[in-house]
């Protein structure tokens, strides 16, 4: 392809809203273009990368034995009512009506559609197991679309759904996808870590996320160097540290004027926050009730764990407002469980065996000390705290580390959650209708693309791995009007093309520095510069990954690129 025929739309600076390097670079390199928040168009270079990322995913999915289909983005409400998610999915679901007032949604995921497909198309148990997948556009009305393709409102996902006769079959299908995902992310060059995960809005009872390791990741991973345990902090459990709190004693009301936060109390009472507790009141809109959650003073409440404990949904849970607190008999900063046992009180396991601790007295400016769980109040014990650095590994007891990651994929054992609700059954040998046992498996294709940029860039721009680069090589004559330079550049371009190298000839009438900058920003892995030694057939050979330059004979430069491209 000749540069003069291409749509090169590089920018000196990225728009203000781009906050992370990969977003800045995708915009500056002219790979994507923003329309409205969280919605992007893919420009020629971006689309070529996208196609290559999809190709890797397709090859590995096909190799795994999965079969490709393509579903509509538009899904009828009725399917979502059947599965019970029309309401539960919350405001992220983009809903619409046709001219007859019939309701639909733009699919944020396709469990319902695939389950409906399987129940109609699979007639015999002989057709099981089967794993169907698609690469398709999804819609989620994210509260805060941000970071470009990382969190869009429209994005491309590869989603797959497996149907098995029994649990044993699901285990095999799940492991097959786990291995396939590991191969996909390895081929895409990502530094990644599979972690145990919460099942969120999708449901089911077992799940892993695949995290591309990155400081800008929105997810946090707790992991253990000693035994390899790794989990999303939303999910991570820890071994209790056994801290006992205050010595056992009688409860006592103490005056703590205007000291409502843990920090203030720490100073005022000269007390270790581990001897205190936090009591927070939440409004659960899904079940229309208020619940109380308690963790140790040095801990944070993990709302995902709370949502699971109360069987609600993240989108339907928020802290009670000040007015609500007052009407329920709580006082902000001074709330406690005592006297509120008519509400469900969810108490973190760590509190259960403490001999004494501080809580709010539900009275302004007062706290109660020497409180003991089981003696002074009771609740529902559960794991509520967010794992922190140094907490003990639940498997081997060694201290946990924390690291940030970008969730590029997630796999779930759905079991019979959807097949039961939607009557997706097969007939077994005894003639019984048995619900199919399902798994589902997602890869954020566009998020993965941007994650590659996040891991492969420098000051000058993107450094695409060869197998996903928009083009493999670019030939840049310093001056295309110079006869010798033109001759050499044309010859190299033709030779590379003949050898299936995806190559650009930069025939633009621009300064060399301007041309180099463009290709470094766009991230073409190899650059061949035809300059003053063109008459000797000597070129400058530049590697984008390291910005390393060497003078090479024309043939050597060509053969180096052809060999590498053939080895992709
Ligand atoms: P997140 O926790 O980041 O919101 P999720 O767990 O809701 O994601 P899944 O339902 O597991 O997402 O979807 C499968 C994959 O789709 C995710 O692993 C992620 O890579 C991708 N994905 C999800 N939401 C978005 C989004 N808004 N923009 C781009 N990719 C997304
Ligand atoms: Mg997920």
């Amino acid at each position: 392809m000749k540069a003069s025929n291409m749509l090169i739309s590089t920018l000196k600076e990225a728009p203000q809203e781009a906050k992370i390097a990969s977003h800045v670079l995708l915009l500056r390199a002219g790979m994507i273009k923003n329309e409205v928040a969280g919605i992007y168009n893919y420009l020629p270079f971006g689309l070529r990368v996208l196609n290559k990322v999809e190709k890797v995913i397709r090859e590995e999915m096909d190799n795994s034995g999965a079969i490709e289909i393509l579903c509509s983005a538009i899904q009828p409400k009725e399917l979502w009512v059947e599965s019970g998610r029309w309401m539960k999915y919350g405001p992220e679901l983009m809903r619409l009506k046709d001219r007859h007032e019939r309701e639909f949604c733009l699919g944020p995921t396709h469990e319902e559609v695939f389950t409906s497909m399987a129940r109609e198309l699979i007639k015999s148990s002989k057709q099981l197991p089967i794993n169907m997948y698609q690469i398709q556009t999804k819609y989620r009305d994210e509260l805060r679309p941000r970071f470009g393709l990382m969190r869009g409102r429209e994005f491309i996902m590869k989603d797959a759904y497996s149907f098995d006769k029994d649990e044993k079959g699901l285990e095999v299908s799940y492991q097959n996808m786990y291995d396939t995902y590991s191969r996909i992310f390895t081929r895409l060059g990502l530094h990644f870590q599979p972690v145990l995960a919460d099942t969120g809005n999708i449901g089911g009872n077992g799940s892993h996320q695949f995290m591309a390791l990155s400081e800008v990741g929105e997810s946090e991973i707790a992991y253990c160097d000693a035994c390899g345990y790794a989990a999303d902090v939303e999910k991570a459990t820890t071994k209790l540290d056994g801290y006992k709190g205050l010595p056992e004693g009688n409860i006592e009301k103490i005056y703590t004027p205007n000291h409502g936060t843990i920090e203030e109390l720490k100073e005022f009472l000269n007390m270790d926050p581990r001897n205190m507790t936090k009591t927070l009141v939440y409004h659960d809109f899904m079940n229309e009730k208020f619940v109380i959650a308690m963790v140790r003073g040095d801990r944070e409440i993990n709302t995902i764990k709370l949502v699971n404990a109360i069987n609600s949904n993240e989108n339907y849970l928020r802290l009670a407002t000040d007015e609500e607190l007052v009407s329920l008999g709580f006082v902000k900063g001074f709330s406690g469980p005592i006297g509120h046992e008519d509400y469900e009180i969810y108490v973190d396991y760590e509190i259960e065996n403490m001999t004494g601790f501080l809580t709010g007295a539900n009275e302004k400016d007062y706290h109660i000390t020497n409180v003991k769980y089981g003696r002074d109040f009771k609740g529902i014990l559960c794991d509520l705290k967010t794992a922190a650095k140094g907490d003990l590994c639940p498997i081997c007891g060694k201290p946990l580390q924390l690291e940030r990651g970008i969730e590029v994929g997630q796999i779930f054992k759905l079991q019979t959650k959807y097949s039961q609700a939607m009557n997706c059954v097969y007939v077994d040998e005894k003639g019984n209708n048995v619900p199919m046992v399902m798994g589902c498996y997602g890869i954020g294709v566009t998020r993965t693309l941007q994650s590659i940029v996040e891991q492969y860039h420098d000051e000058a721009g993107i450094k695409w791995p060869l197998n996903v680069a928009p083009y493999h090589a670019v030939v840049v004559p310093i001056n295309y009007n110079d006869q010798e330079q033109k001759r050499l550049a044309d010859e190299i371009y033709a030779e590379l093309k003949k050898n299936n190298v995806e190559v650009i000839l930069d025939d633009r009438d621009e300064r060399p520095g301007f041309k180099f900058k463009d290709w470094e920003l766009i991230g073409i892995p190899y650059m061949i510069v035809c300059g003053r030694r063109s008459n000797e057939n000597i070129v400058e050979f530049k590697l984008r990954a390291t910005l390393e330059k060497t003078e090479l004979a024309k043939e050597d430069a060509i053969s180096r690129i052809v060999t590498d491209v053939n080895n992709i």
Side-chain angles (χ1 to χ4, degrees):
M1 180 62 100
K2 292 194 172 159
S4 55
N5 296 331
M6 299 172 95
L7 179 62
I8 302 171
S9 47
T10 49
L11 303 171
K12 272 223 167 66
E13 275 173 42
Q16 279 279 307
E17 74 271 10
K19 299 277 183 274
I20 61 173
S22 53
H23 187 197
V24 168
L25 290 174
L26 285 174
L27 289 169
R28 283 193 52 214
M31 301 246 166
I32 57 171
K33 191 171 178 326
N34 188 221
E35 275 315 321
V36 291
I39 299 196
Y40 286 86
N41 299 312
Y42 301 90
L43 299 178
F45 290 108
L47 180 61
R48 287 182 73 95
V49 179
L50 180 61
N51 287 336
K52 290 186 181 188
V53 171
E54 289 186 0
K55 182 165 174 276
V56 168
I57 295 174
R58 245 187 208 104
E59 282 173 6
E60 292 299 334
M61 288 302 292
D62 291 346
N63 277 338
S64 80
I67 182 101
E68 185 171 4
I69 63 170
L70 180 60
C71 295
S72 164
I74 297 190
Q75 306 181 11
K77 172 184 176 180
E78 291 76 17
L79 287 181
W80 285 71
V81 170
E82 262 190 81
S83 72
R85 286 207 295 184
W86 182 254
M87 282 315 293
K88 191 166 176 177
Y89 211 92
E92 241 178 53
L93 194 62
M94 289 208 181
R95 296 153 210 262
L96 64 153
K97 282 185 187 164
D98 70 8
R99 62 171 69 197
H100 309 293
E101 293 288 301
R102 189 174 166 199
E103 290 184 88
F104 297 87
C105 67
L106 293 176
T109 175
H110 273 71
E111 281 77 15
E112 284 76 1
V113 172
F114 275 69
T115 308
S116 154
M117 187 107 56
R119 77 178 163 193
E120 281 168 45
L121 300 183
I122 296 174
K123 305 281 184 224
S124 149
S125 66
K126 290 195 191 117
Q127 291 169 276
L128 299 177
I130 190 165
N131 188 355
M132 295 185 273
Y133 82 95
Q134 63 174 345
I135 296 180
Q136 187 262 3
T137 306
K138 300 278 185 270
Y139 296 85
R140 294 185 184 181
D141 202 357
E142 297 273 356
L143 184 60
R144 272 184 292 275
R146 60 191 177 282
F147 305 149
L149 306 180
M150 292 293 190
R151 187 166 297 284
R153 295 199 292 169
E154 179 188 84
F155 60 98
I156 299 174
M157 194 199 285
K158 185 288 300 171
D159 46 336
Y161 305 83
S162 66
F163 299 85
D164 273 277
K165 280 192 266 193
D166 50 28
E167 289 279 332
K168 240 170 73 191
L170 170 61
E171 289 301 324
V172 175
S173 298
Y174 187 86
Q175 187 62 41
N176 184 13
M177 281 297 103
Y178 184 101
D179 297 340
T180 301
Y181 275 35
S182 301
R183 279 196 293 275
I184 289 170
F185 295 123
T186 303
R187 278 184 64 185
L188 293 175
L190 283 176
H191 309 287
F192 70 96
Q193 167 80 52
V195 303
L196 288 168
D198 182 70
T199 50
N201 253 334
I202 308 285
N205 83 334
S207 178
H208 285 87
Q209 284 162 335
F210 287 76
M211 299 288 195
L213 303 177
S214 165
E215 286 197 347
V216 303
E218 291 185 271
S219 307
E220 207 163 12
I221 306 162
Y223 69 96
C224 173
D225 276 339
C227 73
Y229 172 80
D232 190 309
V233 282
E234 288 178 351
K235 174 81 177 173
T237 54
T238 65
K239 199 170 156 190
L240 300 188
D241 62 11
Y243 186 71
K244 289 283 181 227
L246 301 166
E248 195 156 340
N250 293 330
I251 60 169
E252 194 186 323
K253 196 159 118 181
I254 53 174
Y255 185 50
T256 52
N258 292 321
H259 293 86
T261 69
I262 299 287
E263 267 313 299
E264 288 162 356
L265 288 164
K266 178 181 162 191
E267 208 155 285
F268 182 71
L269 299 173
N270 191 21
M271 187 186 270
D272 183 339
R274 290 181 300 170
N275 297 333
M276 309 176 195
T277 51
K278 284 180 188 167
T279 304
L280 294 177
V281 183
Y282 287 86
H283 192 158
D284 170 9
F285 289 91
M286 199 161 100
N287 302 303
E288 248 331 317
K289 64 182 179 193
F290 290 90
V291 296
I292 300 170
M294 281 185 79
V295 288
R296 210 167 70 183
D298 61 328
R299 297 299 192 178
E300 298 302 328
I301 290 181
N302 180 327
T303 45
I304 299 294
K305 289 183 179 176
L306 179 61
V307 157
N308 289 336
I310 65 178
N311 195 19
S312 182
N313 176 299
E314 213 185 333
N315 291 318
Y316 288 94
L317 190 77
R318 61 159 174 72
L319 281 170
T321 61
D322 291 359
E323 296 79 58
E324 285 168 342
L325 283 180
V326 172
S327 72
L328 298 167
F330 290 95
V331 182
K332 195 178 178 186
F334 301 90
S335 297
I338 295 176
H340 280 301
E341 281 171 86
D342 40 337
Y343 292 103
E344 288 168 18
I345 308 176
Y346 291 85
V347 183
D348 185 73
Y349 286 130
E350 252 176 1
I351 293 176
E352 181 185 9
N353 293 320
M354 284 173 75
T355 42
F357 49 83
L358 186 85
T359 73
N362 298 315
E363 191 178 323
K364 173 132 178 58
D365 294 341
Y366 286 93
H367 279 82
I368 302 177
T369 188
N370 299 331
V371 178
K372 191 170 189 300
Y373 177 78
R375 183 191 68 186
D376 303 318
F377 74 99
K378 282 205 181 67
I380 302 157
L381 291 164
C382 55
D383 178 24
L384 275 189
K385 68 176 193 304
T386 305
K389 188 173 157 61
D391 281 355
L392 306 179
C393 170
I395 308 291
C396 74
K398 297 268 163 37
L400 290 172
Q401 312 290 324
L402 290 188
E403 191 162 5
R404 299 205 76 82
I406 303 162
E407 183 199 317
V408 284
Q410 185 163 12
I411 57 178
F412 303 82
K413 292 177 197 168
L414 295 174
Q415 300 184 301
T416 54
K417 180 180 150 95
Y418 294 89
S419 50
Q420 217 145 26
M422 297 179 66
N423 198 32
C424 175
V425 297
Y426 70 95
V427 183
D428 71 4
E429 307 80 54
K430 295 185 198 121
N432 297 322
N433 282 340
V434 183
M436 296 182 204
V437 183
M438 292 173 58
C440 78
Y441 317 94
I443 289 181
V445 178
T446 38
R447 187 186 281 185
T448 297
L449 182 159
Q450 190 172 325
S451 303
I452 299 174
V453 180
E454 202 51 55
Q455 292 189 351
Y456 289 88
H457 72 266
D458 60 16
E459 295 280 289
I462 307 173
K463 306 191 289 187
W464 291 111
L466 189 59
N467 65 337
V468 292
Y471 289 85
H472 303 133
V474 56
V475 181
V476 186
I478 297 280
N479 175 4
Y480 200 53
N481 296 321
D482 177 287
Q483 258 194 4
E484 272 305 294
Q485 292 184 22
K486 179 174 187 314
R487 174 203 52 88
L488 183 61
D490 287 350
E491 277 174 23
I492 297 172
Y493 174 61
E495 186 72 15
L496 287 174
K497 256 177 54 168
K498 205 171 78 191
N499 284 284
N500 298 323
V501 174
E502 297 168 12
V503 57
I504 302 162
L505 173 64
D506 195 346
D507 58 345
R508 293 177 297 172
D509 190 11
E510 296 285 358
R511 282 175 297 105
F514 179 92
K515 296 197 268 195
F516 298 157
K517 273 214 174 78
D518 267 357
W519 304 119
E520 279 166 11
L521 177 57
I522 293 168
I524 307 300
Y526 300 109
M527 191 189 298
I528 292 181
V529 183
C530 304
R532 60 187 169 79
R533 297 186 71 184
S534 290
N535 55 348
E536 302 166 72
N537 281 341
I538 289 182
V539 299
E540 190 177 72
F541 181 76
K542 278 199 210 176
L543 291 178
R544 175 62 189 93
T546 55
L547 293 176
E548 190 187 321
K549 295 185 230 177
T550 35
E551 286 209 325
L552 286 183
K554 162 190 160 186
E555 291 75 24
D556 294 340
I558 291 174
S559 88
R560 168 80 195 272
I561 296 175
V562 171
T563 309
D564 286 356
V565 167
N566 283 337
N567 282 333
I568 285 179

